[in-house]
Amino acid sequence: MSDDRPPFLRTLARGALLRCPVCGRARVFRTPFRVRHHCPACLALFQREEGFFVGAIMINVVTTEAAVMLAAGFGLLLFAVREALLLPLLFTVALLFPVAFYHHSWSLWLAGDHLFEGLPRRGSR
Ligand SMILES: [Zn+2]
Protein backbone atom coordinates (compact mmCIF):
# COMPACT_ATOMS: atom_id res chain seq x y z
CA MET A 1 0.00 0.00 0.00
CA SER A 2 1.53 3.29 -1.05
CA ASP A 3 1.21 6.46 0.97
CA ASP A 4 0.96 9.50 -1.29
CA ARG A 5 0.62 12.06 1.50
CA PRO A 6 3.34 14.71 1.84
CA PRO A 7 6.02 13.55 4.30
CA PHE A 8 5.10 16.03 7.02
CA LEU A 9 1.42 14.96 6.93
CA ARG A 10 2.47 11.31 7.01
CA THR A 11 4.64 11.97 10.06
CA LEU A 12 1.89 13.91 11.87
CA ALA A 13 -0.65 11.18 11.02
CA ARG A 14 1.67 8.58 12.50
CA GLY A 15 1.98 10.71 15.62
CA ALA A 16 -1.80 11.09 15.87
CA LEU A 17 -2.14 7.30 15.57
CA LEU A 18 0.50 6.77 18.30
CA ARG A 19 2.84 5.06 15.81
CA CYS A 20 6.57 5.54 15.29
CA PRO A 21 6.94 8.86 13.44
CA VAL A 22 9.84 7.50 11.38
CA CYS A 23 8.46 4.21 10.04
CA GLY A 24 4.90 3.92 11.39
CA ARG A 25 5.35 0.18 11.98
CA ALA A 26 5.43 0.12 15.80
CA ARG A 27 3.50 1.78 18.60
CA VAL A 28 5.19 4.52 20.63
CA PHE A 29 3.85 3.12 23.93
CA ARG A 30 4.87 -0.25 25.34
CA THR A 31 2.20 -0.22 28.08
CA PRO A 32 -0.62 2.30 28.63
CA PHE A 33 1.60 4.89 30.30
CA ARG A 34 5.12 3.81 29.34
CA VAL A 35 6.94 5.07 26.25
CA ARG A 36 9.18 2.57 24.48
CA HIS A 37 12.89 3.26 24.61
CA HIS A 38 13.15 2.93 20.83
CA CYS A 39 11.20 1.67 17.85
CA PRO A 40 11.66 -2.12 17.50
CA ALA A 41 11.25 -1.84 13.72
CA CYS A 42 13.57 1.02 12.73
CA LEU A 43 15.50 1.66 16.01
CA ALA A 44 14.46 5.34 16.18
CA LEU A 45 15.16 6.52 19.72
CA PHE A 46 12.05 7.60 21.64
CA GLN A 47 13.58 8.02 25.10
CA ARG A 48 15.80 11.03 24.65
CA GLU A 49 17.77 13.10 27.13
CA GLU A 50 16.36 14.33 30.45
CA GLY A 51 13.84 17.09 29.90
CA PHE A 52 13.10 16.16 26.30
CA PHE A 53 9.45 15.52 27.05
CA VAL A 54 8.81 18.89 28.70
CA GLY A 55 7.48 19.81 25.27
CA ALA A 56 4.96 16.96 25.47
CA ILE A 57 3.79 18.27 28.83
CA MET A 58 3.52 21.76 27.33
CA ILE A 59 1.40 20.42 24.44
CA ASN A 60 -0.85 18.68 26.96
CA VAL A 61 -1.24 21.80 29.14
CA VAL A 62 -1.98 24.13 26.21
CA THR A 63 -4.45 21.67 24.67
CA THR A 64 -6.16 21.17 28.02
CA GLU A 65 -6.55 24.94 28.42
CA ALA A 66 -8.07 25.10 24.94
CA ALA A 67 -10.46 22.25 25.82
CA VAL A 68 -11.53 24.05 29.01
CA MET A 69 -12.13 27.27 27.08
CA LEU A 70 -14.13 25.40 24.42
CA ALA A 71 -16.19 23.67 27.11
CA ALA A 72 -16.85 27.05 28.75
CA GLY A 73 -17.79 28.60 25.43
CA PHE A 74 -20.12 25.77 24.44
CA GLY A 75 -21.58 25.62 27.94
CA LEU A 76 -22.33 29.33 28.12
CA LEU A 77 -23.24 30.15 24.53
CA LEU A 78 -24.96 27.04 23.24
CA PHE A 79 -26.45 25.42 26.30
CA ALA A 80 -26.78 28.41 28.68
CA VAL A 81 -25.40 26.34 31.53
CA ARG A 82 -25.74 27.98 34.94
CA GLU A 83 -22.54 28.92 36.74
CA ALA A 84 -23.23 26.39 39.48
CA LEU A 85 -23.12 23.64 36.85
CA LEU A 86 -20.47 25.19 34.63
CA LEU A 87 -17.66 25.22 37.18
CA PRO A 88 -17.94 21.49 38.02
CA LEU A 89 -18.10 20.77 34.28
CA LEU A 90 -14.94 22.77 33.62
CA PHE A 91 -13.20 21.18 36.60
CA THR A 92 -14.07 17.74 35.24
CA VAL A 93 -12.74 18.65 31.78
CA ALA A 94 -9.55 20.03 33.34
CA LEU A 95 -9.02 16.76 35.24
CA LEU A 96 -9.94 14.21 32.58
CA PHE A 97 -8.73 15.80 29.33
CA PRO A 98 -4.99 15.72 30.14
CA VAL A 99 -5.22 12.03 31.05
CA ALA A 100 -7.11 11.24 27.85
CA PHE A 101 -4.69 13.32 25.75
CA TYR A 102 -1.52 12.08 27.47
CA HIS A 103 -0.51 9.57 24.79
CA HIS A 104 -1.17 11.91 21.90
CA SER A 105 0.82 14.74 23.44
CA TRP A 106 3.87 12.49 23.73
CA SER A 107 3.43 10.95 20.31
CA LEU A 108 2.83 14.32 18.61
CA TRP A 109 5.86 15.79 20.37
CA LEU A 110 7.97 12.92 19.00
CA ALA A 111 6.52 13.48 15.52
CA GLY A 112 7.26 17.21 15.71
CA ASP A 113 10.80 16.53 16.81
CA HIS A 114 11.24 14.10 13.95
CA LEU A 115 9.97 16.74 11.51
CA PHE A 116 12.44 19.36 12.73
CA GLU A 117 15.61 17.42 13.40
CA GLY A 118 14.95 13.72 12.82
CA LEU A 119 14.98 11.14 15.59
CA PRO A 120 18.39 9.58 16.24
CA ARG A 121 18.77 5.82 15.90
CA ARG A 122 19.48 3.61 18.89
CA GLY A 123 23.21 3.34 19.36
CA SER A 124 23.99 6.25 17.02
CA ARG A 125 25.46 8.43 19.79
ZN1 LIG B 1 10.07 3.02 13.64
Side-chain angles (χ1 to χ4, degrees), residues 30-118:
R30 183 172 33 153
T31 61
F33 288 96
R34 180 168 258 179
V35 175
R36 289 181 190 273
H37 180 267
H38 61 277
C39 174
C42 70
L43 302 181
L45 193 59
F46 297 157
Q47 294 281 342
R48 306 282 298 275
E49 68 274 359
E50 289 292 321
F52 172 72
F53 279 106
V54 170
I57 295 167
M58 179 202 63
I59 288 174
N60 207 347
V61 167
V62 168
T63 309
T64 298
E65 290 174 1
V68 169
M69 286 191 291
L70 279 174
F74 280 117
L76 289 172
L77 297 175
L78 296 181
F79 301 110
V81 175
R82 288 175 293 137
E83 187 175 321
L85 273 158
L86 184 64
L87 292 179
L89 169 75
L90 297 181
F91 186 71
T92 303
V93 170
L95 282 179
L96 296 181
F97 187 87
V99 176
F101 194 68
Y102 174 84
H103 301 88
H104 287 87
S105 64
W106 281 61
S107 187
L108 289 171
W109 178 249
L110 268 175
D113 188 56
H114 178 62
L115 283 175
F116 282 100
E117 62 181 9

